[in-house]
Amino acid sequence: MDIFIQIAYLAASILFIIGIKMLGRTSTARKGNFLSSIGMFLAIFATVIQVEAITLVDILICVVIGSTLGLIIAYKVQMTKVPEMVALFNGFGGLASLAVALADFWLNTQEKGLQVDQITGISVAISILIGGVTFTGSLIAYLKLNGKVSGKAITFTGQHLINLILLIAAVAVSIFALTDFANPNFMIALAILSLAIGVLVVIPIGGADMPVVISLLNSYSGMAACATGFVLNNNVLIVAGALVGASGIILTQIMCKAMNRSLINVLLGGFGQTSGGGNQADGPEIAVKEVGVEEAAQIFDSVSSLIIVPGYGMAVAQAQHAIRELSELCEKRNINVRFAIHPVAGRMPGHMNVLLAEANISYDKLIEMDEINDDFANTDLVFVVGANDVVNPAAKTNPDSPIFGMPVLNVEKAQTVIVSKRSMGKGYAGIENELFGADNCLMLFGDAKQTITKLVGELKEL
Ligand code: NAP
């Protein structure tokens, strides 16, 4: 039986690795997700056979409740709410690691009166510490994102010092716990400290910067699960936890790079205090040129190359289907249509890719920033749909701008730029965008979905 379980764990681990690899390409992502689910099913199945403490029926009841809840949440969640859903799931992952490690430690040392070896003791302490930080940190991230806790950075004097003292205290109680396994109070104190650290580390971070923090907490939840794998001596948990831990940290690094943030800055907290809140002093008002739908349709009708730049506003307006219609109409008129995808457009990695794929826009039309950035200069028309920061030239020209140094799309180099947004509202970084006042830029005000639907209607008339 043990051999069967180990083979099932090995197969599950291989499926996880292949699944994650396939998630790296939009065209194979669905299959990768499916393979990973089969891996998870195998892992659960093997674990169910192995477990002795509770009955099969108990486990099945939990699996049914958990899967039903997961399905309902996944079906109901709006695309714009995915980051907060991920935050909540990460948090539960952290809580599970904390609870399992603490329970296993209690069972062995208190109930069975066993001596735990040092490696297991260290793994228990790491699971509790990282699991606790992940749980409360993720809950705060969730509450900030859905507005139940202020999205602004909550700071007070001595905050970093208190965090440091709590961290030192956590390390100290872990050492005490390792020297005196018979006394469970140290591990319980560690759990309380880690829960407090999670809250204090995340509250000083601005709500708008939460996606990066969530990616980091996702990595933490993986690390906690990996440590719990050592506690339980469970190979698949070690592999799956390590995969989540590593991929989360890589994703965090990619996001930081694309936003021109340093990872250390994120790790130390206090991150995001300069952005997301519009802290930058407002400059003189930008004079813009407006364009109506009719005139815009005539411009579309006259060009031979078009790059569409989607941003967060497209997600808010759910304009992706209208955009597909527009792009098909343009292609019928022999216009070369492509989409420029900025790595942090929207509010989560791959946000634009997912929405455009949902609208059946072919993957080969979605071009990454690095590949398309030199082509803007040779393009007749750029249509910016609900994007703001990712097309803000200040990132290249204004050293005082909070986004200075962030790589952006060179849309201003095109012959004409039309921007679809509702007003002169700012984007995520809370700053003005001089692109909107540029000579070659025309503002098409209104909700993106409604405006593009009207634009399609006008184009059909021409
Ligand atoms: P953005 O800078 O946040 O701007 C979005 C724009 O959409 C707003 O200026 C808004 O202007 C417009 N908008 C909102 N609702 C709209 C609607 N219904 N119709 C039309 N327009 C609408 O978006 P972005 O250019 O995509 O940049 C993303 C930002 O998020 C970057 O600063 C990035 O660093 C940050 N970020 C991204 C991630 C990620 O993983 N993708 C993670 C963390 C942070 P109006 O109010 O005037 O309409």
Side-chain angles (χ1 to χ4, degrees):
M1 186 57 91
D2 192 48
I3 290 262
F4 167 77
I5 289 167
Q6 293 311 323
I7 290 176
Y9 281 167
L10 186 65
S13 305
I14 292 172
L15 285 170
F16 289 156
I17 293 167
I18 298 174
I20 285 204
K21 175 101 183 83
M22 292 175 88
L23 285 178
R25 294 178 72 88
T26 339
S27 51
T28 52
R30 267 168 189 267
K31 218 170 175 184
N33 206 12
F34 180 67
L35 285 184
S36 303
S37 333
I38 294 179
M40 186 55 83
F41 177 78
L42 263 182
I44 293 174
F45 186 68
T47 310
V48 168
I49 296 175
Q50 198 182 20
V51 167
E52 292 159 2
I54 45 176
T55 68
L56 191 64
V57 177
D58 291 338
I59 296 175
L60 284 179
I61 291 174
C62 294
V63 169
V64 170
I65 295 176
S67 307
T68 312
L69 279 178
L71 265 179
I72 295 173
I73 295 171
Y75 267 110
K76 281 184 79 173
V77 73
Q78 293 167 8
M79 261 336 267
T80 45
K81 303 270 178 210
V82 168
E84 56 193 75
M85 184 190 79
V86 174
L88 208 56
F89 285 177
N90 285 344
F92 288 136
L95 180 65
S97 299
L98 180 153
V100 170
L102 199 57
D104 192 72
F105 179 77
W106 189 280
L107 184 75
N108 285 327
T109 59
Q110 305 304 305
E111 307 274 324
K112 297 187 181 168
L114 297 176
Q115 234 338 327
V116 184
D117 64 78
Q118 287 292 327
I119 297 286
T120 309
I122 292 171
S123 305
V124 171
I126 292 176
S127 299
I128 293 176
L129 180 61
I130 307 182
V133 170
T134 308
F135 175 54
T136 47
S138 301
L139 280 192
I140 297 289
Y142 166 76
L143 292 171
K144 279 196 173 223
L145 277 181
N146 72 11
K148 294 205 170 91
V149 163
S150 164
K152 291 203 177 116
I154 302 170
T155 51
F156 52 86
T157 344
Q159 197 162 24
H160 288 304
L161 185 66
I162 291 175
N163 287 354
L164 188 67
I165 292 171
L166 286 179
L167 196 64
I168 293 171
V171 174
V173 290
S174 305
I175 294 170
F176 286 134
L178 293 178
T179 51
D180 185 5
F181 282 133
N183 185 350
N185 291 337
F186 292 122
M187 287 297 187
I188 294 171
L190 178 63
I192 295 169
L193 280 169
S194 64
L195 294 172
I197 294 172
V199 175
L200 289 170
V201 163
V202 179
I203 52 165
I205 302 173
D209 286 326
M210 279 305 137
V212 182
V213 177
I214 288 168
S215 167
L216 192 64
L217 288 167
N218 180 240
S219 166
Y220 286 175
S221 73
M223 291 181 212
C226 183
T228 311
F230 282 101
V231 175
L232 300 177
N233 220 347
N234 183 311
N235 290 338
V236 78
L237 200 51
I238 296 174
V239 174
L243 282 174
V244 175
S247 46
I249 209 87
I250 292 170
L251 180 59
T252 309
Q253 191 121 34
I254 291 173
M255 287 167 85
C256 286
K257 208 171 146 212
M259 294 165 70
N260 198 32
R261 304 270 195 186
S262 84
L263 186 56
I264 291 294
N265 188 242
V266 182
L267 291 170
L268 288 180
F271 169 66
Q273 292 184 44
T274 54
S275 77
N279 295 343
Q280 196 199 31
D282 288 341
E285 210 159 275
I286 296 172
V288 299
K289 290 185 287 295
E290 258 190 77
V291 67
V293 174
E294 265 176 54
E295 201 189 330
Q298 277 159 8
I299 298 175
F300 271 82
D301 191 39
S302 66
V303 300
S304 60
S305 54
L306 165 69
I307 297 180
I308 299 177
V309 178
Y312 178 63
M314 178 188 82
V316 177
Q318 288 292 295
Q320 61 274 25
H321 296 279
I323 289 180
R324 199 225 27 241
E325 237 191 310
L326 175 70
S327 69
E328 283 174 355
L329 212 56
C330 291
E331 277 170 346
K332 275 192 196 141
R333 285 160 194 264
N334 291 325
I335 301 171
N336 175 20
V337 184
R338 289 179 299 162
F339 291 80
I341 308 295
H342 189 284
V344 290
R347 287 294 181 273
M348 59 183 173
H351 203 170
M352 300 299 111
N353 303 63
V354 172
L355 290 175
L356 295 173
E358 179 204 312
N360 283 329
I361 291 171
S362 161
Y363 298 134
D364 54 17
K365 298 212 173 304
L366 315 187
I367 319 287
E368 300 289 331
M369 176 171 65
D370 294 341
E371 269 177 66
I372 204 163
N373 239 358
D374 290 338
D375 295 357
F376 283 105
N378 311 317
T379 301
D380 297 338
L381 177 64
V382 168
F383 187 38
V384 176
V385 184
N388 193 338
D389 295 345
V390 299
V391 294
N392 192 337
K396 294 175 283 193
T397 56
N398 179 3
D400 295 331
S401 169
I403 61 164
F404 185 69
M406 167 174 152
V408 286
L409 292 161
N410 295 330
V411 294
E412 73 284 358
K413 300 215 166 129
Q415 206 170 333
T416 307
V417 182
I418 297 182
V419 178
S420 159
K421 69 201 292 288
R422 294 165 309 180
S423 62
M424 286 301 283
K426 293 166 187 167
Y428 160 92
I431 51 171
E432 298 285 0
N433 190 340
E434 281 180 16
L435 167 76
F436 304 151
D439 287 344
N440 60 344
C441 183
L442 301 166
M443 302 300 291
L444 182 60
F445 287 121
D447 171 79
K449 187 176 171 183
Q450 289 172 10
T451 317
I452 296 171
T453 309
K454 283 187 206 151
L455 187 62
V456 166
E458 285 294 334
L459 258 179
K460 280 182 182 162
E461 303 284 309
L462 292 178

